[in-house]
Amino acid sequence: MSLQELYREVILDHYRNPRHRGHLPSPDVHAEGENPSCGDEFSLDLDVDGQTVAAIATQGQGCSISQASGSMMAEAVVGKSLDEIHELTSRFKRMMSIEEGESPVDEERPGSVLGDLEALQGVRRFPVRIKCADLPWTTLEDAIRRVEQGSEVLP
Amino acid sequence: MSLQELYREVILDHYRNPRHRGHLPSPDVHAEGENPSCGDEFSLDLDVDGQTVAAIATQGQGCSISQASGSMMAEAVVGKSLDEIHELTSRFKRMMSIEEGESPVDEERPGSVLGDLEALQGVRRFPVRIKCADLPWTTLEDAIRRVEQGSEVLP
Amino acid sequence: MIDAATIRKDFPLLERRYGDTPLVYLDSAATTQKPNSVIDAISTYYRETNANVHRGAYRLADEATTAYESARTKVAGLINARSSSEVIFTRGTTAALNLLALRWADHLLSEGDRILLTLMEHHSNIVPWQLVAQRTGAELVYLDITPDFAIDLDRLDEVLDERVKIATVSGMSNVMGTIGPVDEITKAARAVGASVIVDGAQLVPHMPVDVQALDVDFLTFSAHKMLGPTGIGALWGRGELLDAMEPLEGGGEMITDVGLYESRWAPIPHKFEAGTPPIAQAVGFGAAVDYLVDLGMDDVRAHELDITAYALDRLAEVPDLTVYGPQDPARRGGAVSFELADIHAHDLATILDEEQGVAVRAGHHCAKPLMRHLEVPATARASFYVYTVPEDIDALVIGLMRAREIFGIA
Amino acid sequence: MIDAATIRKDFPLLERRYGDTPLVYLDSAATTQKPNSVIDAISTYYRETNANVHRGAYRLADEATTAYESARTKVAGLINARSSSEVIFTRGTTAALNLLALRWADHLLSEGDRILLTLMEHHSNIVPWQLVAQRTGAELVYLDITPDFAIDLDRLDEVLDERVKIATVSGMSNVMGTIGPVDEITKAARAVGASVIVDGAQLVPHMPVDVQALDVDFLTFSAHKMLGPTGIGALWGRGELLDAMEPLEGGGEMITDVGLYESRWAPIPHKFEAGTPPIAQAVGFGAAVDYLVDLGMDDVRAHELDITAYALDRLAEVPDLTVYGPQDPARRGGAVSFELADIHAHDLATILDEEQGVAVRAGHHCAKPLMRHLEVPATARASFYVYTVPEDIDALVIGLMRAREIFGIA
Ligand SMILES: Cc1ncc(COP(=O)(O)O)c(C=O)c1O
Ligand SMILES: Cc1ncc(COP(=O)(O)O)c(C=O)c1O
């Protein structure tokens, strides 16, 4: 696999035109993440309507992998239930952790659940960069946990 | 040169029966020395009569070399003038620093000024031990300096 | 069982000779010799993997980081730490104890509080606490030594009350070989709510150690005393205590953010590892742990029991020789201090070295309070490790007999 | 003149390849590679001389002590210290700066006093002073950066009044390469009676440094950035200041006597070297100094001027590339930070590494305040040393052009 496959067009597109960028006017929850080792930053606002993520807005700066991963993630989770998001998160993490060469995580293609996110498969070959792709998801997990604990629904 | 020559009889004798051991009742000066690296300790009391060392008493504990050196030194300096002691000290230090195999420092044997002290020549071959032999002399120099500066003649 | 004669071949320094006399190295309590695997791990690191850690986006830096962090995992495994993040790499035992004194004790203690030590502590486990006492107004309280060279536990209950906030004890004396009563002191300290620090500089190299089973709070040790390089050691601490501790040093690697006037700290272990860490040394430390784990720490201890028993037996044959330490090998490690007649330890060391190539330490062994208690200004000390063979002891005994001759002792 | 192509052969790591691609090491500001002479000095020490220092009555320990102390003499010689006792071995620059913060600044400063820094300092020369400020109530004052990446001295007179007790400045920026105005700051600081500390982590490796001519008070540096091993560095200080400073750590080696409740300190340098020091590392440090002295520090600097000029020229050929640092090689060292179009530094580093085997650093380079000032979250940094050849720069430039392609930049 080559760098050309790591830096696929869809990744560069999400990097340059991140979806759901910005802030929500009064989010239910806000979470921040950071990779101290490389300085990538990613944060997000969520509006949660019952058990569903009604809206998401993201902020951050960092490499194309972290920012594209965040943009794709935002697209993938909006409108999804918390349960669906847990399922998605674990699928994503599984995809990032399986050995290269193993079969892709999503057997049900076409109509893949991970969609664009599968473009990030190439990151697996670059172990130093996996944490870049993971950052938005770790931040999301943090946000969802807080929603579920009911601890931090902002006023 | 063998260890037998380092640990000559005269050295062991001075080690086991150190001369001028003890304290002076009201010494003019007292000085203390220590080799932190091996723990040897040596201190001395002096009575100085004008320019002459009238009496000396030494204390200390440590290896045979340091204690014998101190005992021989005490014998050698008592009754000597400060000038003579300076001369003796520099002869001793010269002896301890010359390369082994070079001619002995004292060309005027027999009737050597250093006397018994020459028995310490063997120490030169054991560089780690030279500072043992030097300790009493360094302490003496300290004492004499203080006498000469008039700074510390005890009341 | 360890075959010391065979494993000696792994230790190039043990082949040293002075002219015809082979070196007989009996100073392992000061520092041990290193097997080829450790020396080579360091060279290979510099030749093939050297890069700075934690911040590199290139493969070499990632390899270096992996090498460094996997050393931490090995060290954590050796002492059965719950998590490798509980292992902080320090310059050595001394640095680890001082970190605890400066950042744990200083915050914990105030006027009237007490620190419990024993009279057999090494200067590195005394002086930092004297300084804490001066800064905080806390007091030092020492447990005594019994006539048979054990820690006197009779007064333990009397001494341990709620004023004692910290008990800090050596796991094994570097002078007498005495194994410290860590269990007893820990139980008693827990009962009054005191924290327990174990100076493991001599313990960890010589016996299996399980920090979870020991139930102590902190453990410190040095790589150079367990086949590893100089310049590195470890502080192990319970995660929650380390989390609560403030860092001593600020700098690169230990932060998540630095503003102009304030910064945020990284999680443990990095919070305590400011600046470029001793990377190659960690790699060497990891290789040393591998070597010890291959031998098996139970076997390391078994070998030490054997060689110490042999040494005590042979030393008993030397007239006028006094051993300062327990006679029962089960109660001790392989550091054996002794005095021979009226021969000063320093003279003894010179004679052993020159006559038989035997390297023993002479002096106060960085334990002056203990020496004063034993009423001996200096001892000679022979100390053993995995590569020590009975022939080493035989050479020592021959040297001691020769010293008697030279000093004219009949 | 240094023939970098020839001396490269002394550096085994530079022969590394990834498959067909040779490694191109451009991260010497993070840590340098080591010549065989340094690697071998360390191995040989462990194989032939290893023993603990300062307390041995046997020949091996004496040899080890001589090896350790002669390394100190070499390091002292390199910076023209008046006496080798003014050189304290530390874990590195970070440890040295923290020692000064904890034991010099803490005692010197109180509420209302000021510490002068510059915006180009490394975290290791910022965070310790933030902690001092928190402990003492002193304030930090920063000198600004000019648009051409120099320290802004215009406000120096205004900022420097008698409230400033310490000025601590980097001798050379690890991000921009900028040579710090040590002379100007020292003169101005002297005029108001402030002490001057120079963070020499990047200065000492790259230029001749004479502490007596510089007239500063303290200088800190790390062996691993000047061909030497990790795990060791040095604090140089004026003897009378070091004499007056209290030790930070207590333990073995740093005392003349230890009582139960009080101890007496050894003279410098030992007062600041508690415990077993990094002995093998000192030996390696000494070998690194030998290597640099053989090259000649003037020639080291001349080579750096050449290679930096070449690099700046070649980088100017890459469209959309911004260099953060002085354009004039005379005002800078060989650490060159840059940004290429909208490609994040981290992505750039991956592409350079994978395509051309070029190792550059990406990120904030432990200088977040500077990065914020430059308004760039991260840069890529290429940095050079005695073994850097023009071909290394050529590979960098090819990699950068390739990155443009991959990111679809026309
Ligand atoms: C300018 C500067 N100061 C301080 C340091 C810290 O040095 P060390 O990590 O060796 O302690 C560095 C290197 O990272 C540096 O470049
Ligand atoms: C019991 C004990 N504690 C502490 C130390 C200090 O260890 P280091 O000198 O490696 O810091 C030593 C070794 O000298 C020791 O034997």
Side-chain angles (χ1 to χ4, degrees):
Chain A
M1 198 168 77
S2 82
L3 277 171
Q4 214 66 269
E5 263 189 87
L6 176 64
Y7 293 113
R8 289 192 187 168
E9 212 139 304
V10 52
I11 290 187
L12 296 181
D13 180 50
H14 275 276
Y15 172 54
R16 288 183 168 136
N17 309 296
R19 325 298 198 252
H20 299 276
R21 265 283 140 142
H23 294 269
L24 296 180
S26 55
D28 291 330
V29 64
H30 172 79
E32 304 191 346
E34 180 171 9
N35 271 336
S37 68
C38 63
D40 286 348
E41 290 166 12
F42 187 83
S43 23
L44 51 80
D45 299 342
L46 286 188
D47 275 343
V48 184
D49 194 357
Q51 287 295 302
T52 305
V53 168
I56 180 168
T58 71
Q59 310 97 45
Q61 51 91 359
C63 67
S64 64
I65 307 297
S66 68
Q67 303 307 306
S69 173
S71 169
M72 293 168 171
M73 178 187 82
E75 274 203 318
V77 302
V78 70
K80 291 251 173 32
S81 74
L82 298 188
D83 281 351
E84 285 170 319
I85 293 177
H86 282 306
E87 167 64 19
L88 200 62
T89 306
S90 78
R91 269 178 189 266
F92 180 80
K93 296 224 154 171
R94 217 156 59 216
M95 176 178 85
M96 296 311 292
S97 66
I98 61 167
E99 295 297 313
E100 192 199 348
E102 285 186 37
S103 61
V105 68
D106 186 18
E107 320 83 35
E108 296 136 55
R109 299 166 144 263
S112 142
V113 212
L114 285 171
D116 276 7
L117 281 166
E118 287 189 16
L120 285 167
Q121 274 189 60
V123 178
R124 285 175 307 171
R125 229 204 84 217
F126 302 88
V128 227
R129 306 304 299 277
I130 293 176
K131 65 180 178 329
C132 307
D134 280 347
L135 174 63
W137 293 86
T138 318
T139 315
L140 178 68
E141 277 185 302
D142 182 28
I144 303 267
R145 191 172 40 245
R146 279 145 67 183
V147 169
E148 288 173 342
Q149 294 172 350
S151 64
E152 200 160 333
V153 175
L154 302 177
Chain B
M1 200 166 80
S2 81
L3 277 172
Q4 214 66 270
E5 262 189 88
L6 175 64
Y7 292 113
R8 289 192 186 168
E9 211 138 305
V10 53
I11 290 186
L12 296 182
D13 180 51
H14 276 277
Y15 171 55
R16 289 182 166 137
N17 310 295
R19 326 297 198 253
H20 298 278
R21 267 282 143 142
H23 295 269
L24 295 180
S26 53
D28 291 331
V29 64
H30 173 78
E32 305 190 346
E34 181 172 9
N35 272 337
S37 69
C38 63
D40 286 348
E41 291 167 11
F42 187 84
S43 23
L44 52 79
D45 299 341
L46 286 187
D47 276 342
V48 184
D49 193 357
Q51 288 295 303
T52 304
V53 167
I56 180 168
T58 70
Q59 310 97 43
Q61 52 91 357
C63 66
S64 64
I65 307 298
S66 67
Q67 303 306 308
S69 174
S71 169
M72 293 169 173
M73 178 187 83
E75 274 204 319
V77 301
V78 70
K80 291 251 171 34
S81 75
L82 299 187
D83 281 349
E84 285 169 321
I85 292 176
H86 283 305
E87 169 64 18
L88 199 62
T89 307
S90 79
R91 268 177 191 267
F92 180 79
K93 297 224 153 172
R94 217 156 59 218
M95 176 180 84
M96 294 312 292
S97 66
I98 61 167
E99 296 297 312
E100 193 200 349
E102 284 187 37
S103 61
V105 68
D106 185 21
E107 321 84 36
E108 295 136 57
R109 297 167 146 264
S112 141
V113 212
L114 286 171
D116 277 5
L117 282 165
E118 287 188 17
L120 287 166
Q121 275 188 61
V123 178
R124 286 174 306 171
R125 231 203 84 215
F126 304 87
V128 230
R129 306 303 300 277
I130 292 176
K131 63 178 179 332
C132 306
D134 279 348
L135 175 63
W137 293 87
T138 318
T139 314
L140 179 67
E141 276 184 302
D142 182 29
I144 303 268
R145 190 170 45 244
R146 280 145 68 183
V147 169
E148 287 173 342
Q149 293 171 350
S151 63
E152 199 160 333
V153 174
L154 303 175
Chain C
M1 216 24 235
I2 288 181
D3 178 0
T6 303
I7 71 170
R8 281 175 83 79
K9 303 198 180 91
D10 296 337
F11 293 81
L13 195 132
L14 299 179
E15 282 153 34
R16 249 200 83 155
R17 311 180 72 84
Y18 301 110
D20 287 343
T21 321
L23 168 72
V24 176
Y25 187 73
L26 292 178
D27 196 18
S28 290
T31 200
T32 64
Q33 296 307 332
K34 323 300 174 196
N36 281 315
S37 64
V38 167
I39 302 171
D40 294 347
I42 297 167
S43 313
T44 304
Y45 171 80
Y46 284 131
R47 276 189 232 283
E48 296 179 8
T49 317
N50 176 64
N52 213 327
V53 292
H54 294 312
R55 304 203 157 274
Y58 52 91
R59 283 163 288 178
L60 193 68
D62 192 44
E63 287 174 30
T65 306
T66 304
Y68 179 66
E69 290 301 333
S70 82
R72 195 193 304 280
T73 308
K74 290 174 188 181
V75 172
L78 181 75
I79 58 170
N80 193 30
R82 263 179 311 168
S83 153
S84 66
S85 68
E86 294 183 331
V87 171
I88 318 275
F89 284 129
T90 65
R91 199 182 63 249
T93 301
T94 303
L97 289 167
N98 278 280
L99 173 57
L100 289 176
L102 287 154
R103 280 298 169 267
W104 175 250
D106 269 17
H107 291 254
L108 190 68
L109 300 181
S110 51
E111 186 93 33
D113 286 339
R114 292 183 159 186
I115 303 169
L116 183 72
L117 305 88
T118 82
L119 271 183
M120 75 176 192
E121 301 311 315
H122 185 279
H123 292 166
S124 292
N125 199 26
I126 297 176
V127 185
W129 308 111
Q130 293 180 343
L131 295 172
V132 168
Q134 284 160 26
R135 289 188 298 258
T136 63
E139 272 174 70
L140 306 190
V141 185
Y142 287 88
L143 287 177
D144 221 326
I145 310 280
T146 65
D148 57 344
F149 309 103
I151 299 298
D152 185 357
L153 296 175
D154 283 354
R155 284 184 60 234
L156 187 57
D157 285 341
E158 182 187 324
V159 160
L160 260 178
D161 56 30
E162 64 302 325
R163 284 174 300 178
V164 176
K165 296 288 188 297
I166 293 175
T168 181
V169 293
S170 175
M172 190 185 286
S173 162
N174 65 313
V175 179
M176 305 180 297
T178 307
I179 296 174
V182 172
D183 268 2
E184 291 87 333
I185 292 180
T186 304
K187 280 200 197 88
R190 289 261 169 272
V192 298
S195 312
V196 179
I197 299 169
V198 174
D199 170 0
Q202 299 294 339
L203 185 69
V204 176
H206 297 279
M207 302 179 86
V209 170
D210 177 331
V211 288
Q212 298 189 57
L214 275 182
D215 190 37
V216 299
D217 296 300
F218 299 102
L219 174 73
T220 62
F221 46 109
S222 299
H224 73 93
K225 292 189 198 284
M226 46 195 288
L227 310 181
T230 56
I232 193 166
L235 166 63
W236 167 85
R238 289 179 190 279
E240 60 277 20
L241 301 183
L242 294 175
D243 282 337
M245 235 166 96
E246 284 295 308
L248 177 62
E249 298 187 351
E253 316 271 1
M254 55 73 75
I255 51 89
T256 54
D257 194 23
V258 174
L260 286 177
Y261 307 104
E262 278 184 345
S263 300
R264 285 187 292 124
W265 311 144
I268 60 166
H270 302 294
K271 179 168 71 173
F272 296 106
E273 296 185 354
T276 303
I279 310 168
Q281 291 72 42
V283 170
F285 196 177
V289 169
D290 284 343
Y291 193 96
L292 287 172
V293 167
D294 275 359
L295 290 180
M297 288 307 297
D298 284 318
D299 283 0
V300 168
R301 173 64 184 151
H303 172 70
E304 195 139 304
L305 277 170
D306 282 358
I307 198 79
T308 306
Y310 182 75
L312 292 171
D313 281 354
R314 294 279 350 246
L315 288 173
E317 295 168 19
V318 182
D320 308 313
L321 186 137
T322 314
V323 169
Y324 293 94
Q327 277 299 323
D328 176 4
R331 291 176 43 219
R332 60 172 301 147
V336 181
S337 279
F338 54 85
E339 209 181 17
L340 178 55
D342 70 345
I343 311 176
H344 190 274
H346 213 180
D347 293 313
L348 213 43
T350 296
I351 296 171
L352 291 171
D353 185 36
E354 293 283 337
E355 287 279 323
Q356 290 289 318
V358 172
V360 300
R361 198 128 291 231
H364 54 63
H365 315 294
C366 295
K368 281 205 167 192
L370 175 62
M371 303 304 279
R372 289 210 180 93
H373 176 86
L374 298 176
E375 294 184 343
V376 44
T379 67
R381 181 190 69 191
S383 56
F384 320 133
Y385 208 27
V386 292
Y387 39 67
T388 307
V389 289
E391 291 74 11
D392 294 339
I393 313 288
D394 298 341
L396 168 66
V397 170
I398 295 171
L400 291 170
M401 299 307 276
R402 186 77 184 100
R404 290 174 53 88
E405 267 168 58
I406 290 174
F407 266 68
I409 300 171
Chain D
M1 217 23 235
I2 288 181
D3 178 359
T6 303
I7 71 169
R8 280 176 83 78
K9 304 198 179 93
D10 296 337
F11 293 81
L13 194 133
L14 299 179
E15 281 153 35
R16 247 199 86 152
R17 310 179 73 83
Y18 301 111
D20 287 342
T21 322
L23 168 73
V24 176
Y25 188 74
L26 292 178
D27 196 18
S28 291
T31 200
T32 64
Q33 296 308 333
K34 323 302 173 197
N36 282 315
S37 64
V38 167
I39 301 171
D40 295 345
I42 297 167
S43 313
T44 304
Y45 172 79
Y46 283 130
R47 276 189 232 285
E48 296 178 7
T49 317
N50 177 63
N52 213 327
V53 293
H54 294 314
R55 301 201 161 274
Y58 52 91
R59 285 163 288 178
L60 193 68
D62 192 44
E63 286 174 32
T65 305
T66 304
Y68 179 67
E69 290 301 332
S70 83
R72 195 192 306 279
T73 308
K74 289 174 188 180
V75 172
L78 180 75
I79 58 169
N80 194 30
R82 262 180 311 168
S83 154
S84 66
S85 69
E86 294 183 333
V87 171
I88 319 273
F89 285 128
T90 65
R91 198 183 63 249
T93 302
T94 303
L97 290 167
N98 278 281
L99 173 58
L100 289 176
L102 286 155
R103 280 298 169 268
W104 176 249
D106 269 16
H107 291 253
L108 192 67
L109 300 181
S110 49
E111 186 93 35
D113 286 339
R114 292 183 158 188
I115 304 169
L116 183 72
L117 305 89
T118 82
L119 271 184
M120 75 177 191
E121 300 312 315
H122 185 279
H123 291 166
S124 292
N125 199 26
I126 298 177
V127 185
W129 309 111
Q130 292 180 343
L131 295 171
V132 167
Q134 284 162 25
R135 289 188 297 257
T136 63
E139 273 173 66
L140 306 189
V141 185
Y142 287 88
L143 287 177
D144 222 327
I145 311 281
T146 65
D148 57 344
F149 309 103
I151 299 298
D152 186 356
L153 295 174
D154 283 356
R155 285 183 59 233
L156 187 58
D157 285 342
E158 182 187 322
V159 160
L160 259 178
D161 55 29
E162 65 302 325
R163 283 175 300 179
V164 176
K165 296 289 189 298
I166 293 175
T168 181
V169 293
S170 174
M172 189 185 287
S173 162
N174 65 313
V175 179
M176 306 181 297
T178 307
I179 295 174
V182 172
D183 268 2
E184 291 87 333
I185 291 180
T186 303
K187 280 201 196 85
R190 288 260 169 271
V192 298
S195 311
V196 179
I197 299 168
V198 175
D199 170 0
Q202 299 293 339
L203 186 70
V204 176
H206 297 279
M207 303 180 84
V209 170
D210 177 331
V211 288
Q212 298 189 57
L214 275 183
D215 191 35
V216 298
D217 296 300
F218 299 102
L219 175 72
T220 62
F221 47 108
S222 299
H224 73 94
K225 292 188 198 283
M226 47 194 290
L227 309 181
T230 55
I232 192 166
L235 165 63
W236 167 86
R238 288 179 191 279
E240 59 278 19
L241 300 183
L242 293 175
D243 283 337
M245 236 166 97
E246 284 294 309
L248 177 62
E249 298 186 351
E253 314 271 1
M254 56 73 75
I255 52 89
T256 54
D257 194 22
V258 174
L260 286 178
Y261 308 103
E262 278 185 344
S263 300
R264 285 187 291 122
W265 312 144
I268 60 165
H270 303 294
K271 180 168 70 173
F272 296 106
E273 296 185 353
T276 302
I279 309 167
Q281 292 72 41
V283 170
F285 196 177
V289 169
D290 284 344
Y291 193 96
L292 287 171
V293 167
D294 274 0
L295 290 178
M297 287 307 296
D298 285 317
D299 283 1
V300 168
R301 172 64 184 151
H303 172 71
E304 193 138 305
L305 277 171
D306 282 359
I307 198 80
T308 306
Y310 182 75
L312 291 171
D313 281 354
R314 295 277 350 247
L315 289 173
E317 294 169 18
V318 181
D320 309 312
L321 185 137
T322 314
V323 168
Y324 293 94
Q327 278 299 323
D328 177 3
R331 291 176 43 220
R332 61 173 299 148
V336 181
S337 279
F338 54 86
E339 210 181 18
L340 179 55
D342 69 346
I343 311 177
H344 191 275
H346 214 182
D347 293 313
L348 214 43
T350 296
I351 296 172
L352 291 171
D353 185 35
E354 294 282 337
E355 288 278 324
Q356 291 289 317
V358 172
V360 300
R361 198 128 290 229
H364 54 63
H365 315 294
C366 294
K368 282 206 165 189
L370 175 61
M371 303 304 280
R372 291 211 178 91
H373 176 87
L374 298 174
E375 294 181 344
V376 45
T379 68
R381 180 190 69 189
S383 56
F384 320 133
Y385 207 30
V386 292
Y387 40 66
T388 308
V389 289
E391 292 73 12
D392 295 339
I393 313 289
D394 297 342
L396 169 66
V397 170
I398 295 172
L400 292 170
M401 300 306 275
R402 186 76 185 100
R404 290 174 54 84
E405 268 168 56
I406 290 174
F407 266 68
I409 300 170

